[in-house]
Amino acid sequence: MKITAFNPQIITRNGEEIIRLFEALGFEKRHDQEGIGELNVEGIRMKDANGFYLDISQPDLPLQRDVTAIRMNVDDFDAAYQLLLSHGFKNYYVDRINETPTAKSALMIAPSGFSINLVQHIRK
């Protein structure tokens, strides 16, 4: 398994407020995709002049508060998912994997509480 991207991610119901904050810090929107998977996620990717990335995700879920995670893209979702499970991580969505024709993802929670949003982009 190879990690292909690794950056912070904020999962929220208030994306516009967070976008404005990070724009004030010098980040620009690079990518905005709506209606991702069964969770109907809006995904916003931002980048600053130094090359730092931030992802903001707005799922169609009743979140009580924002979740800060590490987005980790990999080339083998199943291997990474099993590795995280073997280290005690739990899938936030229980056994549900968010799948689209172009990606698989799952929000994994560590025993200590930090989160990794595991993603594999599927190239055809």
Side-chain angles (χ1 to χ4, degrees), residues 14-74:
N14 302 309
E16 287 304 315
E17 182 179 318
I18 294 170
I19 290 166
R20 283 192 302 273
L21 167 65
F22 281 92
E23 284 175 337
L25 292 169
F27 282 77
E28 295 179 2
K29 274 180 152 181
R30 303 280 295 181
H31 176 27
D32 189 349
Q33 186 177 6
E34 294 183 16
I36 303 168
E38 293 176 30
L39 300 175
N40 195 31
V41 177
E42 180 179 4
I44 299 105
R45 188 151 176 86
M46 301 185 81
K47 184 178 179 182
D48 79 349
N50 296 309
F52 294 113
Y53 285 94
L54 169 69
D55 291 312
I56 300 168
S57 296
Q58 292 185 115
D60 192 12
L61 291 171
L63 297 171
Q64 292 180 349
R65 61 183 187 163
D66 292 349
V67 175
T68 304
I70 298 167
R71 174 181 167 157
M72 186 170 77
N73 288 21
V74 296

Side-chain angles (χ1 to χ4, degrees), residues 62-100:
L63 297 171
Q64 292 180 349
R65 61 183 187 163
D66 292 349
V67 175
T68 304
I70 298 167
R71 174 181 167 157
M72 186 170 77
N73 288 21
V74 296
D75 67 348
D76 186 339
F77 179 89
D78 296 328
Y81 187 81
Q82 290 304 315
L83 179 113
L84 292 174
L85 289 176
S86 74
H87 284 270
F89 281 73
K90 303 285 185 207
N91 184 337
Y92 181 82
Y93 311 116
V94 187
D95 292 324
R96 194 162 129 192
I97 306 294
N98 195 27
E99 292 189 60
T100 70

